[in-house]
Amino acid sequence: MHRVLLASCAAATLLASNTNAADLSEPAGYDWTGFYLGVNGGYAFDGDDKIGLTFATRGSGISVSDATVGSVDLSGIVGGVQAGYNYQIDSFVLGVVGDVQIGGLSESSSSSFADDLIAPAGDYYSSSDVDVFGTLRARMGFAFDRIFFYGTGGLAWANTDLELRGEGIGGEFFRIEDSSTQVGWTVGAGAEYAVHDSVTLGLEYLYVDLGSETLKSPVTGTKADLDVSTDIDTNFNLIRATLNWKF
């Protein structure tokens, strides 16, 4: 009986030892499910908005002259915070994330426009600034243990400031100024790596398009009663690094 008991204890000890060794050699996969908070920093670039002006006879809406007088290519360093939630099913991960960015996205340009007998000749100046913007997006992709590859897309918004003016021999003949919150869309992709059970590092690309709006101003000192209008299309690319704390 003692021999049987000793043999049983030895077998149990050996089985427990083998089980512990298997647990050490085959660790459980990383779980991406949970809430997270983080910070980010990056660079926005290559926004492309051609400044086109349409001069029209006041009250008629009939165009009498069109000109492209400059280009505003938004760029600048940005930084911000984000918060989100992931839910993992097998290797598929679905989530939602929101972020707010602060930065100095700006650009200005100037050009000259020759007199065409109706539209005034002069120098044209344009500038655009985005100081705060953010997104609310879905994220979905596949996790390979501690590495997560995803696509993302959703809503984008920004506070924008625009100034456009024309100056001739007689002084300023029109000025368009606009400060508003524009709403558009964003799409992109990224990758994230869990360096610790509660810390992840990531790299993300987004394309942000804030839509288009038409701005108008009366023109003074011309040979006809004119209004000038322009369509503003604000967009840019963004690459940024992220640091998240998962809980």
Side-chain angles (χ1 to χ4, degrees):
M1 181 67 179
H2 291 291
R3 291 179 180 177
V4 173
L5 182 59
L6 290 173
S8 299
C9 289
T13 302
L14 181 61
L15 179 60
S17 176
N18 289 337
T19 301
N20 289 336
D23 289 342
L24 291 174
S25 61
E26 298 179 5
Y30 183 78
D31 185 7
W32 287 88
T33 298
F35 291 95
Y36 60 90
L37 294 171
V39 295
N40 67 75
Y43 186 70
F45 62 97
D46 204 24
D48 186 14
D49 184 14
K50 298 292 188 298
I51 303 298
L53 297 180
T54 298
F55 293 91
T57 303
R58 189 168 303 150
S60 71
I62 300 174
S63 174
V64 295
S65 179
D66 293 286
T68 299
V69 298
S71 177
V72 175
D73 302 327
L74 286 172
S75 62
I77 296 174
V78 300
V81 296
Q82 68 269 350
Y85 178 79
N86 292 323
Y87 184 72
Q88 183 170 353
I89 306 172
D90 295 327
S91 61
F92 180 71
V93 180
L94 176 66
V96 62
V97 59
D99 62 76
V100 177
Q101 309 294 128
I102 298 176
L105 279 71
S106 63
E107 180 65 18
S108 60
S109 67
S110 62
S111 61
S112 297
F113 184 46
D115 196 334
D116 64 357
L117 300 181
I118 298 178
D123 298 317
Y124 291 75
Y125 303 92
S126 57
S127 66
S128 181
D129 296 278
V130 174
D131 52 3
V132 179
F133 68 95
T135 71
L136 180 61
R137 296 171 283 121
R139 297 201 313 171
M140 63 182 67
F142 293 92
F144 302 91
D145 195 9
R146 290 180 174 267
I147 301 177
F148 174 35
F149 297 100
Y150 62 88
T152 184
L155 180 73
W157 61 269
N159 292 335
T160 61
D161 295 301
L162 173 79
E163 180 181 332
L164 179 62
R165 70 183 192 275
E167 296 180 357
I169 297 176
E172 185 175 279
F173 49 83
F174 82 90
R175 177 185 289 264
I176 295 175
E177 291 180 304
D178 182 71
S179 295
S180 62
T181 299
Q182 293 181 255
V183 178
W185 55 272
T186 181
V187 66
E192 203 167 346
Y193 178 72
V195 297
H196 185 272
D197 286 349
S198 58
V199 180
T200 68
L201 293 175
L203 185 64
E204 185 173 68
Y205 164 80
L206 293 177
Y207 174 75
V208 179
D209 191 319
L210 298 171
S212 179
E213 62 175 318
T214 300
L215 305 175
K216 182 181 291 188
S217 169
V219 181
T220 61
T222 62
K223 304 177 182 63
D225 291 330
L226 298 178
D227 289 323
V228 61
S229 62
T230 183
D231 292 327
I232 303 301
D233 185 9
T234 305
N235 59 75
F236 54 88
N237 298 274
L238 174 63
I239 293 180
R240 61 187 175 188
T242 62
L243 173 62
N244 290 319
W245 288 268
K246 177 174 173 287
F247 56 95

